[in-house]
Structures are given as structure tokens and as C-alpha cells.
Amino acid sequence: MTRVTSAQKIAAARAEGRPALIGYLPAGFPDVPTSIEAAVALAENGVDIIEIGIPYSDPVMDGEVIQAATVQALANGFRVADVFEIVEGITARTDAAVMVMTYWNPVLRMGVDEFSRRFADAGGAGLITPDLVPEEAAEWLAASEKYDLERVFLIAPSSTPERVQRTVDVSSGFIYCVSLMGVTGARAEVSSAAQAVVDAAHAAGAENACVGLGVSRREHVEEIGAYADGVIVGTALVAALRDGAVAAVGALAAELSGAAAPSNKELA
């Protein structure tokens, strides 16, 4: 199986003069088959990179909407091993790069090497690890090299220049730039700190810096895309799936990507 990487998708978007669009959905919400269909709908409506979150009982970064979705997925019987079925279901039907966002404990519990091997076999591109710092990531660094997986670490407005440099040095694929101090959630405006975090990543040598937290509308994508290499949307998509099923996810993805934007030809 030829795996598509996030770096490849970001480069392709850059060649088209736009930021890559990254869409997040929880694995197994509301159930495994629906989570696959929702992710496929993202890819069919302009999303370049699909980020699948593993439900976790003690999240530190997730806001209310995503927490509620992951609690429901767990209550409906989701198990960590189900994520490989989901990733394979998406990669078999789309050309999107598929990342998994996970807190580190589920990976440790399965075994870092086993998780990485099964994820690579399913066609996954790499892992986004919000609570893993480079200094504690030796086992993951080794497994990611062994199975050719991308490593996405996070930086935030509070990250020191030394921390940013260390993170950039060990990351591959892209740097996840947290735009604000807090948890996930759709917001009316993009944090003013977002550009500074992206600039810091680029200054440290990051080729790809993508912004997440708070993005919910097309204008946010356009605003962030002026300085970032990719834009990450999560809570708004999860709410769409909760309220309007797969069709609503596809419709919002089309809006965010600009695929559903009205034509201006009549006005020319």
C-alpha cells in the first residue's frame, strides 16, 4: 500500500496557492461505520488531511463538544484497536492523508511498536501527540522511523524559543500550532497569537506549520491561510456530525474548503 503523507498533501495545496485543510473527527463517533463515512465525506468535499482522534477518558486538550462525542463513542463500545479499521476504511476510499491524534497512554498500553506497525499497515500517515513531549518520546521516535510515520508535536503561545526549536527538530509532516491557551472549541474570531506561533515555527526551520483550535468558518481558513501552511478544523465538524449526520459534515467541509462558495462570474 502506498501511503499518502501530510507533507505531500500540504505541498500539493501550496502548489495550488492555498493552505491545506485538515479536518478532525473522533474515531467511533457515533459508531465505527458512521465515523468512516463522515471522514470520507470530508475528503470528498475538499479536506486534504483527515485527523482521527482516539477517544480517551481523561482528555486534557478537548473542549465540551469533542469530550461529549468521545464519551459517546466509548459508551457505544469503541476500543483502541477499532482505529485501524477506521483508518483503513478511509485510506481505501480516498487520497487524503490520514493522521491519528491520540493521548499517549492508549499507545503505550497497546505497545508503541505494535500500534505503529498496525497503523502503518492500515495506511496511516502519522500521529499527532498532544501530551507527549520530545524528551519522553524516544520509543515513538524509533517506531516512527521504523515504520516511516510522521511525527506531529505541538507548540503553543507559551512555548519558549528553545522549546519551539526542540519540537521542530524532532517533528515531521507538520508542526501543530496551538493558537490559544485553552481547550478546543469553535470561536467567533481567530486568536491573535496564532500568527506569532506560526512565525516562531517557521523561524525554527519548520517547513509546514498548521494552526488549530478555534477555527470554524471559511473566513477563518482564509485568514489563517495567509500565513500558515494548513488550517485545522475540529469542533465545528464534530458538532455538524452530531446535529446533522454525515451530510452535514460534507456540507460544512465544502463551505470551509471553498468548494461550496458561490460563483462570482455573474458579477464580473
Side-chain angles (χ1 to χ4, degrees):
M1 177 187 295
T2 301
R3 283 182 281 138
V4 180
T5 68
S6 69
Q8 289 170 333
K9 299 301 287 189
I10 293 170
R14 183 182 294 120
E16 296 175 6
R18 62 176 181 83
L21 183 59
I22 303 167
Y24 168 94
L25 290 171
F29 173 70
D31 52 53
V32 167
T34 305
S35 64
I36 295 172
E37 294 304 320
V40 170
L42 291 181
E44 291 175 342
N45 288 280
V47 172
D48 303 289
I49 300 166
I50 296 170
E51 183 184 326
I52 298 297
I54 293 182
Y56 188 54
S57 58
D58 302 290
V60 296
M61 184 177 170
D62 301 329
E64 182 179 355
V65 171
I66 292 176
Q67 280 194 38
T70 57
V71 166
Q72 183 177 335
L74 290 168
N76 289 347
F78 175 84
R79 296 294 179 265
V80 172
D82 293 336
V83 78
F84 307 120
E85 176 187 345
I86 294 168
V87 170
E88 188 168 13
I90 301 165
T91 58
R93 294 170 57 188
T94 78
D95 66 351
V98 181
M99 308 291 291
V100 157
M101 179 179 237
T102 180
Y103 297 102
W104 200 237
N105 193 55
V107 180
L108 278 178
R109 189 170 180 83
M110 178 174 288
V112 177
D113 189 87
E114 181 181 355
F115 186 100
S116 300
R117 176 184 58 80
R118 294 176 70 178
F119 179 60
D121 287 346
L127 299 184
I128 302 167
T129 52
D131 65 344
L132 182 67
V133 295
E135 292 83 355
E136 298 174 1
E139 197 174 358
W140 164 228
L141 298 181
S144 64
E145 292 293 334
K146 180 178 178 180
Y147 297 106
D148 194 24
L149 295 170
E150 293 177 319
R151 304 180 294 267
V152 176
F153 292 94
L154 285 71
I155 60 173
S158 61
S159 299
T160 64
E162 294 77 19
R163 167 60 54 189
V164 171
Q165 188 65 62
R166 172 67 174 149
T167 304
V168 168
D169 288 345
V170 300
S171 294
S172 60
F174 62 92
I175 298 291
Y176 191 121
C177 298
V178 178
S179 63
L180 47 84
M181 302 304 293
V183 296
T184 59
R187 291 169 171 84
E189 296 180 354
V190 176
S191 166
S192 59
Q195 185 168 357
V197 180
V198 170
D199 289 347
H202 284 154
E207 183 175 355
N208 300 318
C210 302
V211 171
L213 271 66
V215 180
S216 62
R217 300 202 297 258
R218 173 63 186 169
E219 51 264 41
H220 295 162
V221 175
E222 293 173 342
E223 178 185 344
I224 294 170
Y227 54 82
D229 305 290
V231 184
I232 304 163
V233 184
T235 296
L237 290 168
V238 179
L241 180 57
R242 176 196 66 200
D243 298 338
V246 172
V249 172
L252 179 55
E255 179 185 333
L256 291 164
S257 70
S263 172
N264 291 322
K265 291 179 180 178
E266 308 82 18
L267 305 178

